[in-house]
Amino acid sequence: MGDPVAGYTLRLQRQESEIQSLSEEIEILRNQQALGSSSQLDELREENAKLKYRINVLKRSLQEDPAECSKTMMNINQRLQEIFCESINSAYPELVNPPLSVTPNQQAKFGDYQCNSAMAMAQMMKAKGLKVNPREIAEKIVQNIPENEMIQKTEIAGPGFINVHLKKSFVSKLLTNLLVNGVQPPPLEKKQKVIVDFSSPNIAKEMHVGHLRSTIIGESMCRLFEFLGYSVLRLNHVGDWGTQFGMLIAHLQDMFPDYLTSSPPIDDTLITFESKKRFDSEEDFKKRAYQCVVKLQSKEPDFIKAWNLICDVSRKEFQKVYNCLDISLVERGESYYQNMMTEVVKEFEDKGFVQLDEGRKIVFAPGFSVPLTIVKSDGGYTYDTSDLAALRQRLFDEKANIIIYVTDSGQASHFYVVFACAQMIGWYDPKVTRVEHAGFGVVLGEDKKKFKTRSGDTVRLMDLLEEGLKRSMDKLKEKERDKVLTAEELVRAQRAVAFGCIKYADLSHNRINDYVFSFDKMLDDRGNTAAYLLYAFTRIRSIARLASIDEATLRKAAETTEVLLDHEKEWKLGKCILRFPEILQKILDDLLLHPLCDYLYELATTFTEFYDNCYCVEKDRQTGEVVKVNMWRMLLCDATAAVMAKGFDILGINPVERM
């Protein structure tokens, strides 16, 4: 398999040599007596800055611990992009920001990856008056490919496609690294702080199916960022403040006059319904409700206690949902930002961005025709003010590098204006700090209309989860799993299937689109569903167990056995396993999680092809005894299961060993 230490030493020597060469160039540039015109001086100073930057990059690379680097999974696509970037810059140094395109090859007979830069480069050169055949460009790129550890050969096809064939020894080494060190993410340049704002139900209202998508998508995004090494703060921006609390408190006082000394048995949905009914029909009650709002906002202790009682009841109900779905959140509702709003308004006023409109204070953002209302005509604050205060706190107090809001797409335009106002006032630079709205479509029923109960009401989320549990148990019993699993194993399988299928059905669709909620489809163990993947995972895990190969034996084999990739199905599976970091990078770029679901399904089906064509364990046909174990193939099984398990973890799905 070659000596990795020798290879790394050679790389270090090459880098040291380049640093020395670049340092000499900088010394020459420092000798300003050799400079002519001022334009020459500017050009050379710019080149000087570039050289210094390249030296710093190389020095950082040299300082990295090679042992640590080798433990992480390599993003093969990214590494190929680095190689072709160097090649293109060497072949055409005069081109500024030449196009770079490297993708996995769709047809195995043409190679493993493909560089498609030549055609785009020909167009770029044509725009400059240079007519060059794309195939000639491709040939020149290939001639300038630097010495590297991964490319076996290249072939130029058609008008200028460069097909790349990877070295089997290189892929085998990466698989061994995965088996020895586990599924480790590529190293981060620097640790960054991420805030994800998701779920965000309203106090005194039950969570419904509309909260399902934000909760599932937000949780999965957090898990991805955490796996990749980011510091993540998961925020639940609950609706726990506002005029509606006046009527809730007024009704609480009437229903439970001794609430200050004896904790009342509050039903938050009932109190919301009854208080709203009274607010609409009783004028005296409405006046008292407004007085309660004023006293609550003035932080009078009795009213704060009433508010806390109402909030606590809702929190307990929310937590039942979060426990089922294994969701972790830090609650910071609208009330958290109340004291910050005055400062936000003052800052916008001081910088001259506030306009008066019929008693309201409004702010227009560049390029948007609808303003934010930061103070109402009665002097009260709005959701706009609250969202600005929250964003400011997250930028300046939390010092977040990335902030993501996971809400339905209907709120997108509101958040775009909030972000634009924050940039206008100078709170953040979008080139430095990533602030993004990750919107999603609505949940539809099988009739393709908004998901409702038969009576037309919004579906309670807890009812939906309980229905999922019932249906998953029915499915397990239909497959007679209750006859082979213990009672405890059956319950674990029930929860894994029910909640896993609900999550996967959501995450496997492009979040931007609406999706149809169907228990029958999500519990089907055929096709791209969690049910299919969970059963596939259980089967893969059982292969070693049925061959009486324990974990310790697999660990030792990983260190001593070369992963052979001679059979075409072994080769296909090995490459598929190693695409995992590429998929995660894609999700990081566009915050769309369905490519991970598509990848896991592809991995499971690719494994099935491998298993059907390559014997992992050979048994005596008469006795059924194991006569031969092809250990390198057992390691491919183990690597597949390891990547699937990590993929499940990011999606928030909990597989079980027995189903």
Side-chain angles (χ1 to χ4, degrees):
M1 293 176 67
D3 183 0
V5 176
Y8 196 84
T9 303
L10 184 63
R11 179 180 154 208
L12 293 182
Q13 288 170 347
R14 285 202 301 269
Q15 288 176 334
E16 288 282 17
S17 172
E18 188 172 352
I19 285 177
Q20 181 63 35
S21 172
L22 293 171
S23 298
E24 288 170 3
E25 287 185 56
I26 286 177
E27 285 304 315
I28 293 169
L29 289 171
R30 283 187 180 136
N31 183 5
Q32 295 193 2
Q33 292 177 347
L35 300 177
S37 66
S38 60
S39 63
Q40 270 186 299
L41 176 61
D42 290 341
E43 286 175 20
L44 288 171
R45 278 184 174 157
E46 186 179 346
E47 184 62 24
N48 189 353
K50 289 179 182 177
L51 289 169
K52 283 182 177 177
Y53 172 77
R54 286 167 64 197
I55 280 182
N56 287 332
V57 169
L58 285 167
K59 282 181 175 174
R60 280 201 304 272
S61 176
L62 287 170
Q63 288 164 359
E64 288 173 355
D65 181 352
E68 284 301 312
C69 290
S70 67
K71 288 181 182 177
T72 62
M73 284 188 79
M74 178 188 287
N75 184 329
I76 295 176
N77 193 312
Q78 207 168 61
R79 178 73 187 108
L80 283 170
Q81 286 182 41
E82 291 168 4
I83 289 169
F84 277 99
C85 181
E86 188 176 338
S87 169
I88 289 167
N89 287 332
S90 297
Y92 295 95
E94 69 280 5
L95 285 183
V96 179
N97 294 324
L100 179 64
S101 173
V102 178
T103 59
N105 221 324
Q106 297 304 309
Q107 293 182 291
K109 63 181 178 181
F110 295 129
D112 307 311
Y113 285 81
Q114 192 175 77
C115 176
N116 304 323
S117 298
M119 287 73 75
M121 287 171 66
Q123 291 295 320
M124 177 186 269
M125 294 162 85
K126 186 178 179 182
K128 294 184 176 183
L130 299 169
K131 191 172 181 182
V132 185
N133 187 316
R135 198 173 173 93
E136 289 177 30
I137 295 172
E139 287 169 356
K140 199 168 178 183
I141 291 171
V142 168
Q143 289 165 8
N144 282 273
I145 290 175
E147 183 184 343
N148 64 83
E149 74 282 22
M150 61 196 307
I151 298 176
Q152 178 70 38
K153 65 174 181 175
T154 56
E155 296 167 336
I156 299 171
F161 299 112
I162 303 171
N163 291 324
V164 178
H165 297 258
L166 298 176
K167 291 179 181 176
K168 286 188 177 174
S169 59
F170 167 75
V171 172
S172 178
K173 283 178 188 176
L174 292 187
L175 290 167
T176 295
N177 171 57
L178 184 157
L179 289 158
V180 171
N181 298 304
V183 183
Q184 302 292 337
L188 278 178
E189 283 186 26
K190 63 175 181 177
K191 192 157 188 172
Q192 292 187 311
K193 184 168 187 177
V194 179
I195 291 177
V196 183
D197 178 328
F198 68 105
S199 193
S200 308
N202 289 315
I203 294 292
K205 290 184 181 178
E206 287 186 297
M207 290 182 77
H208 54 77
V209 72
H211 295 110
L212 182 68
R213 299 207 74 185
S214 177
T215 304
I216 290 172
I217 294 166
E219 172 70 19
S220 191
M221 284 182 184
C222 291
R223 288 168 176 260
L224 171 67
F225 279 111
E226 284 166 346
F227 172 64
L228 294 174
Y230 292 83
S231 171
V232 179
L233 176 59
R234 304 141 167 265
L235 290 184
N236 197 5
H237 190 82
V238 296
D240 66 350
W241 202 254
T243 54
Q244 75 273 24
F245 281 93
M247 65 181 189
L248 292 168
I249 292 170
H251 188 66
L252 177 69
Q253 290 171 334
D254 291 346
M255 293 288 293
F256 307 102
D258 60 345
Y259 74 90
L260 290 171
T261 55
S262 177
S263 185
I266 305 171
D267 181 324
D268 59 347
T269 52
L270 184 62
I271 197 173
T272 300
F273 174 76
E274 291 178 348
S275 62
K276 181 70 170 73
K277 189 177 174 183
R278 291 182 67 190
F279 186 85
D280 292 339
S281 61
E282 300 175 26
E283 197 59 37
D284 288 345
F285 180 81
K286 183 184 276 192
K287 286 179 184 175
R288 199 151 52 86
Y290 281 130
Q291 290 168 358
C292 288
V293 171
V294 173
K295 290 179 179 180
L296 176 63
Q297 291 177 340
S298 300
K299 306 281 179 71
E300 289 192 22
D302 289 359
F303 290 83
I304 290 293
K305 178 163 186 180
W307 172 71
N308 275 322
L309 282 170
I310 294 165
C311 290
D312 284 343
V313 173
S314 288
R315 286 188 189 108
K316 287 172 186 172
E317 292 303 310
F318 297 161
Q319 197 56 48
K320 289 177 185 177
V321 171
Y322 297 146
N323 288 344
C324 283
L325 296 175
D326 195 16
I327 307 295
S328 174
L329 280 157
V330 173
E331 184 187 307
R332 277 196 197 159
E334 292 164 14
S335 61
Y336 183 86
Y337 305 100
Q338 288 304 300
N339 295 337
M340 306 173 193
M341 294 191 202
T342 304
E343 187 61 36
V344 166
V345 173
K346 185 176 183 299
E347 188 173 345
F348 274 94
E349 287 178 327
D350 289 347
K351 294 189 177 178
F353 292 123
V354 175
Q355 298 178 30
L356 289 176
D357 178 60
E358 297 180 348
R360 298 181 306 148
K361 291 182 179 180
I362 62 173
V363 176
F364 280 96
F368 292 91
S369 58
V370 178
L372 294 181
T373 298
I374 60 171
V375 181
K376 294 186 291 184
S377 56
D378 64 3
Y381 297 131
T382 68
Y383 288 122
D384 295 348
T385 333
S386 173
D387 284 336
L388 283 169
L391 179 54
R392 189 180 188 279
Q393 191 273 340
R394 293 164 186 181
L395 289 165
F396 292 103
D397 296 351
E398 297 296 344
K399 296 180 170 50
N401 307 102
I402 301 171
I403 305 172
I404 299 163
Y405 292 79
V406 186
T407 75
D408 65 271
S409 295
Q411 298 184 54
S413 56
H414 162 72
F415 280 109
Y416 294 154
V417 180
V418 170
F419 301 161
C421 284
Q423 291 170 42
M424 176 180 73
I425 203 169
W427 288 353
Y428 77 97
D429 178 353
K431 293 176 184 174
V432 177
T433 306
R434 181 180 183 182
V435 181
E436 197 165 332
H437 177 251
F440 52 82
V442 298
V443 182
L444 304 176
E446 294 190 70
D447 58 0
K448 305 291 174 68
K449 295 178 182 176
K450 207 165 183 181
F451 197 35
K452 300 274 187 183
T453 63
R454 286 182 182 175
S455 60
D457 297 326
T458 302
V459 179
R460 289 176 66 245
L461 190 45
M462 205 61 217
D463 289 346
L464 189 79
L465 298 178
E466 286 169 359
E467 177 69 12
L469 284 170
K470 178 185 174 300
R471 293 206 184 206
S472 67
M473 181 59 81
D474 291 345
K475 191 78 175 177
L476 288 164
K477 286 181 177 178
E478 182 187 309
K479 296 171 76 71
E480 299 188 336
R481 302 311 296 161
D482 54 322
K483 295 179 180 177
V484 293
L485 300 176
T486 66
E488 191 178 323
E489 286 173 337
L490 188 63
V491 170
R492 279 204 298 266
Q494 176 196 25
R495 293 178 69 84
V497 171
F499 302 141
C501 286
I502 289 170
K503 289 180 180 182
Y504 193 86
D506 191 317
L507 297 169
S508 61
H509 290 83
N510 187 323
R511 64 170 164 77
I512 295 167
N513 302 330
D514 299 342
Y515 92 97
V516 175
F517 190 98
S518 167
F519 273 122
D520 290 338
K521 286 182 181 176
M522 65 178 67
L523 290 168
D524 193 340
D525 55 12
R526 296 162 298 176
N528 188 6
T529 65
Y532 169 77
L533 290 175
L534 286 166
Y535 285 120
F537 178 79
T538 303
R539 284 196 301 273
I540 295 168
R541 281 286 196 214
S542 70
I543 294 168
R545 188 172 66 249
L546 294 173
S548 301
I549 300 171
D550 60 20
E551 197 72 20
T553 304
L554 282 171
R555 295 283 71 77
K556 186 176 180 183
E559 295 172 358
T560 58
T561 305
E562 181 180 359
V563 180
L564 301 176
L565 301 165
D566 297 331
H567 194 287
E568 63 170 328
K569 300 301 181 184
E570 295 171 338
W571 180 235
K572 184 179 179 181
L573 178 60
K575 290 184 296 176
C576 189
I577 291 167
L578 296 176
R579 279 192 22 243
F580 188 53
E582 298 173 27
I583 303 300
L584 300 188
Q585 184 59 51
K586 178 173 171 51
I587 300 169
L588 199 63
D589 292 341
D590 57 26
L591 300 178
L592 296 172
L593 289 150
H594 65 277
L596 177 55
C597 299
D598 293 341
Y599 166 75
L600 290 175
Y601 180 62
E602 181 189 346
L603 182 58
T605 53
T606 303
F607 178 85
T608 300
E609 286 179 33
F610 154 79
Y611 193 68
D612 288 347
N613 287 275
C614 304
Y615 289 116
C616 298
V617 179
E618 296 179 36
K619 295 182 178 181
D620 186 289
R621 293 193 177 184
Q622 258 87 41
T623 64
E625 288 183 18
V626 174
V627 293
K628 184 182 179 185
V629 174
N630 295 315
M631 190 55 78
W632 78 93
R633 289 176 177 165
M634 294 302 301
L635 292 175
L636 279 170
C637 296
D638 199 37
T640 303
V643 169
M644 285 186 75
K646 181 49 66 179
F648 284 148
D649 185 57
I650 290 169
L651 297 174
I653 295 171
N654 299 312
V656 289
E657 288 295 323
R658 299 191 69 204
M659 277 183 64

